[in-house]
Amino acid sequence: MLSKLLVRTFVKNYEDTNNEKVRESFGLLGGIIGIAINIILFTIKLSVGLIVASIAVMADAFNNLSDAASSIITIVGFKMSNKPADEEHPFGHGRIEYISALIVSFMVILVGFQFVKSSFERVINPEPITFEAVPFFLILGSIIFKFWLSKFNKYIGKTINSSALKAASFDALGDVVTSSCVALSLLLPKFTTLPVDGYIGILVALVILYSGYSLVKETVNPLLGEAPDPQLVKKIKESVLEYENITGVHDLIIHNYGHGKCMASIHAEIPSDIDIMQIHDIIDTAEREISKEFNIYLVIHMDPICTDCEEIKSCKRMVEKIIEYNPLVKSMHDFRVVGDGEKKNLIFDVVVNSWQLDKMMTEEELKEKITQDIKNLHPQYNCIITVDNDFM
């Protein structure tokens, strides 16, 4: 409830999440709240850590300070990602948001390493911890603040589909765990003389390191070129097929240059005997309307196919039946029959996952197997097969 109230109060036109200015406002709100809360928590925890001489509490305090710095980086990332396209970056600067999330991740890891060292030294040279009620309840209060901050960042991160804010949410949730361990380190000395402070400090540091690793993994994927959202893939294909005279689609490739900066290309199968001007107008309309609907830049390539030849239809059904039982082949397209007389060429493309194919056989071996299966039934046909990789 509070999250929605803050968004409605400070973000103008908050429902228009595809608008870059609105997304920037979301990022600014998340960053400012993150800075404010983390600075307050750093001050509280550092004071508590100094009062009770706890390395675990001070580790948690500086973790909050790094989170405040992370919020600043998040704000800068949102600002820079909205820079317009220029000569060197024709698709804009949207990926800067991913880079800012990556910087946050490395800062989290750095804090973790620093406090592994400090906590290990405390294990070797333990110091007594005196339980005090006020510092203990201050730490408990910080846990509540961090839990709310995690939920808030998750809410706005999901609203605008921001990897940076999702990373901040995950980091804050990790802080809930570490602060809980810190609270435990203040409570346990009432019941034991063991040097639990150093050990819990190491545990806190390891949780911080794991959080950093998870964030790096999550933010590196879009930079390297992760597979697109399956729902977006499905919707684009279904939308293209809704247009008149488009009978099939294949070879959809989506490039992500940041939120709202996606470029996609797809091949659309059309009847070979249709008027070229008529189908060109249909393709233009599809590109324009689908690009607007999904906030992408779509390019459609036309693949003319013969739809009224009984021999081609019969051969295609035969090949489809053969490849149906091949676990490596996902689909077939661009089927043609070329030649006269008894000897003819079947020309077609098969779609595979290259990573799966590489584990079992080479492309040439796959083509040879399909060709041999066809020749076993129809020796008169030669096959010219192209292996396409499925990028989905």
Side-chain angles (χ1 to χ4, degrees):
M1 181 66 73
L2 179 57
S3 299
K4 292 182 179 179
L5 179 62
L6 287 170
V7 166
R8 290 171 180 173
T9 303
F10 294 104
V11 180
K12 293 182 179 180
N13 303 318
Y14 60 89
E15 294 179 340
D16 187 11
T17 54
N18 287 323
N19 185 295
E20 293 303 319
K21 290 296 182 182
V22 173
R23 293 190 81 252
E24 184 178 327
S25 296
F26 270 98
L28 185 62
L29 176 62
I32 290 174
I33 290 178
I35 292 169
I37 289 179
N38 282 301
I39 289 294
I40 292 170
L41 294 182
F42 166 73
T43 305
I44 292 172
K45 290 178 183 179
L46 182 62
S47 301
V48 171
L50 293 173
I51 291 171
V52 301
S54 168
I55 188 67
V57 176
M58 285 188 280
D60 202 23
F62 279 95
N63 183 38
N64 288 141
L65 184 62
S66 73
D67 290 343
S70 300
S71 295
I72 295 173
I73 293 170
T74 299
I75 292 174
V76 173
F78 270 97
K79 285 285 186 182
M80 295 185 66
S81 66
N82 284 335
K83 288 176 60 179
D86 54 34
E87 186 176 353
E88 294 181 347
H89 308 93
F91 294 101
H93 300 78
R95 285 182 177 172
I96 290 179
E97 185 179 332
Y98 303 140
I99 295 173
S100 67
L102 192 60
I103 294 172
V104 170
S105 306
F106 284 128
M107 290 183 66
V108 171
I109 291 175
L110 179 61
V111 169
F113 275 120
Q114 288 175 336
F115 281 101
V116 165
K117 179 182 177 182
S118 300
S119 299
F120 184 71
E121 291 174 353
R122 179 57 65 90
V123 171
I124 297 174
N125 302 299
E127 295 181 12
I129 303 295
T130 303
F131 174 80
E132 295 186 25
V134 173
F136 177 74
F137 285 108
L138 285 174
I139 296 297
L140 290 182
S142 75
I143 294 172
I144 296 173
F145 272 104
K146 270 294 185 176
F147 183 75
W148 177 83
L149 184 61
S150 174
K151 300 291 286 184
F152 176 71
N153 282 329
K154 182 179 180 180
Y155 169 71
I156 58 177
K158 185 178 180 179
T159 300
I160 64 172
N161 192 24
S162 166
S163 59
L165 289 170
K166 289 177 182 177
S169 171
F170 189 79
D171 184 33
L173 190 60
D175 289 345
V176 171
V177 177
T178 57
S179 294
S180 299
C181 292
V182 168
L184 190 63
S185 75
L186 294 178
L187 183 62
L188 285 178
K190 284 178 62 68
F191 309 101
T192 179
T193 57
L194 293 174
V196 295
D197 181 50
Y199 291 109
I200 290 182
I202 291 176
L203 179 62
V204 170
L206 291 176
V207 172
I208 293 171
L209 285 173
Y210 179 75
S211 297
Y213 163 76
S214 301
L215 294 174
V216 168
K217 185 178 179 181
E218 183 177 335
T219 53
V220 161
N221 284 339
L223 287 172
L224 293 179
E226 65 181 348
D229 178 7
Q231 286 299 316
L232 177 61
V233 171
K234 180 182 178 182
K235 289 177 181 178
I236 290 175
K237 288 182 176 180
E238 290 176 347
S239 296
V240 175
L241 287 171
E242 289 177 359
Y243 287 84
E244 184 182 4
N245 292 313
I246 296 180
T247 59
V249 293
H250 56 268
D251 288 351
L252 172 61
I253 300 176
I254 300 175
H255 297 284
N256 181 3
Y257 294 92
H259 182 83
K261 299 178 178 68
C262 286
M263 180 177 180
S265 62
I266 191 170
H267 289 219
E269 296 175 358
I270 59 169
S272 58
D273 57 354
I274 195 172
D275 179 74
I276 189 65
M277 296 303 293
Q278 178 186 352
I279 192 61
H280 186 270
D281 183 59
I282 293 172
I283 293 296
D284 273 355
T285 301
E287 286 177 338
R288 183 171 57 254
E289 292 179 350
I290 296 173
S291 293
K292 183 178 181 180
E293 180 180 358
F294 296 108
N295 194 30
I296 61 175
Y297 178 71
L298 178 66
V299 176
I300 301 177
H301 171 79
M302 295 185 293
D303 278 339
I305 59 171
C306 184
T307 58
D308 57 0
C309 175
E310 286 303 322
E311 180 186 14
I312 293 177
K313 290 180 180 180
S314 175
C315 289
K316 185 178 180 182
R317 285 194 295 269
M318 178 265 295
V319 175
E320 285 175 338
K321 189 171 183 179
I322 288 173
I323 66 173
E324 179 183 355
Y325 298 100
N326 191 316
L328 294 173
V329 179
K330 300 185 69 175
S331 63
M332 177 185 72
H333 59 84
D334 286 350
F335 188 88
R336 305 183 297 283
V337 179
V338 177
D340 296 315
E342 293 185 358
K343 296 293 183 181
K344 293 184 179 181
N345 292 327
L346 306 183
I347 305 174
F348 56 93
D349 295 9
V350 293
V351 179
V352 302
N353 279 326
S354 60
W355 58 269
Q356 188 178 24
L357 176 64
D358 292 341
K359 293 180 180 179
M360 301 180 67
M361 62 179 68
T362 65
E363 286 190 7
E364 292 303 319
E365 289 171 338
L366 175 63
K367 290 191 282 188
E368 179 61 30
K369 175 172 174 49
I370 296 173
T371 299
Q372 191 58 50
D373 289 342
I374 292 173
K375 280 187 170 292
N376 288 339
L377 295 175
H378 301 280
Q380 73 273 25
Y381 289 131
N382 294 315
C383 295
I384 301 175
I385 305 172
T386 299
V387 178
D388 282 348
N389 183 37
D390 184 12
F391 294 99
M392 299 305 108

